[in-house]
Amino acid sequence: MKKLIRYIPFLFLLLIMMSGFCACGTAKVTLTTNLEIKEGGSGNRQIKLQMTQSDMKKVLGGTSFDLFNEQITTDCPKGLEYAFSENGNEYTFTFSMIFDSMEEYKKQVESITGEAVKIDIIEPESVFATGFRYEEDFTSRELIGWVNDSLNIRVENPVNILSLITEDTCSVSYKDRNYSVDVGHVLIDNLVETPVERIDILSLYRQNQTTDREVIFTFSQESMAKNGDAIKAYFDGVLPEESAIEWTVRQGKQICKVRKNNMTTEVFNEFMKKLFSLEASDKAFISDQPNSSGKIFDSMVTRSEYIDLSAFTYANNESVGLGYYVQWEDGMYVDVRKQGSNDSYEFGKSDIYGGYQTVFEKPAIK
């Protein structure tokens, strides 16, 4: 019994020490971000800082809360709307950014942070890429970093309020689609790419000024596994009249070949515009400009061809590899010049397409 009494004072002292430690614990702050972007690009970003009244007192260190709240109201940057609410023992500081367009949103963020920012949206409307990608390179903490400046003004020994955040959550609503994202920079990426890896364009020029053309589209097996039925349906839908289409496999790749022969300039244009989904474009794929060589039995036709690959990529034309190959009948001379230049391409015999000369081969830029 005496042995038990001997330990009671020690246990009592230990309980006192633990109680004191809890009372002096670090304040806890919760940060919540809700970003809503509507159809057309309007929307709002709402950032909430929440803490208990007792934790707020720890942050202020005896400074009047009313004076601090007044300072926040005064310092709140243009582009943010500030509101304070109290629910029982909980304080909530709400900062709202309302915008009418993504351009306005970007400008407001740059005005608040004083830094250039990036907001990237990829929402392709193409069979070659489906889904959605949204990314920002700034955080909610950066947007309310100025709150610490207000603390520095009013509090003698200020605490970095953002360093006290123990819970940080972010949710995004984009055109009524809801996403929960990791904290920090906002990134939503459910983009599924099924791109054309490469397009090869083969032309046979004839002395009667008609052209045979074959366009060869190369897909990875992965792309076809993800979206092969839709890709084939796409080509069936854009196939020019009286054209031949063939699907084959070459070196583990899925190959789509579309061919049409003996085309006049007018038919050639219709073929290319239909296949490249540019029927409404006023850009001519090819135009003939007769020129005289000065010799009785010679004639020369200068042709300019415009190729737009945008129908086959969600990003930019450089992400699709491109090869251009030519062949001509005996008795003809073909010279292909670089765009905007009098310099001619140097031809080389193609190792892939027998009988054709390689004009240029450009790899895809990832």
Side-chain angles (χ1 to χ4, degrees), residues 19-184:
S19 175
F21 176 78
C22 294
C24 299
T26 304
K28 297 180 180 180
V29 179
T30 297
L31 175 64
T32 305
T33 301
N34 292 289
L35 174 62
E36 180 184 18
I37 301 173
K38 302 176 183 177
E39 192 79 39
S42 64
N44 67 84
R45 185 188 188 108
Q46 188 180 81
I47 304 169
K48 287 185 177 181
L49 282 176
Q50 293 176 298
M51 68 183 78
T52 63
Q53 187 179 39
S54 59
D55 281 343
M56 187 74 246
K57 289 179 179 179
K58 294 175 187 177
V59 172
L60 294 179
T63 299
S64 166
F65 172 77
D66 290 338
L67 288 177
F68 169 68
N69 192 40
E70 180 182 332
Q71 191 68 46
I72 291 287
T73 303
T74 302
D75 294 343
C76 187
K78 183 179 180 181
L80 277 182
E81 295 182 2
Y82 167 63
F84 168 74
S85 61
E86 184 177 0
N87 183 12
N89 187 43
E90 186 161 277
Y91 283 178
T92 300
F93 306 86
T94 303
F95 307 92
S96 302
M97 183 187 302
I98 301 172
F99 48 90
D100 294 325
S101 67
M102 296 306 296
E103 182 180 0
E104 182 183 356
Y105 176 42
K106 182 175 181 291
K107 288 180 178 178
Q108 286 177 338
V109 172
E110 290 178 338
S111 175
I112 294 168
T113 62
E115 302 285 344
V117 300
K118 288 177 60 179
I119 301 174
D120 292 329
I121 303 175
I122 299 175
E123 193 174 18
E125 296 180 1
S126 168
V127 69
F128 306 111
T130 58
F132 167 67
R133 190 175 194 278
Y134 180 92
E135 184 176 15
E136 300 175 346
D137 69 347
F138 55 91
T139 67
S140 288
R141 296 185 185 221
E142 291 172 299
L143 287 170
I144 58 173
W146 56 272
V147 172
N148 282 315
D149 296 332
S150 295
L151 275 168
N152 291 338
I153 292 173
R154 289 297 183 188
V155 180
E156 183 175 347
N157 295 307
V159 177
N160 184 331
I161 197 169
L162 301 185
S163 70
L164 304 178
I165 295 173
T166 56
E167 184 178 349
D168 191 344
T169 61
C170 181
S171 62
V172 178
S173 172
Y174 186 85
K175 297 181 180 180
D176 296 327
R177 290 171 288 180
N178 298 318
Y179 305 89
S180 294
V181 300
D182 292 335
V183 297

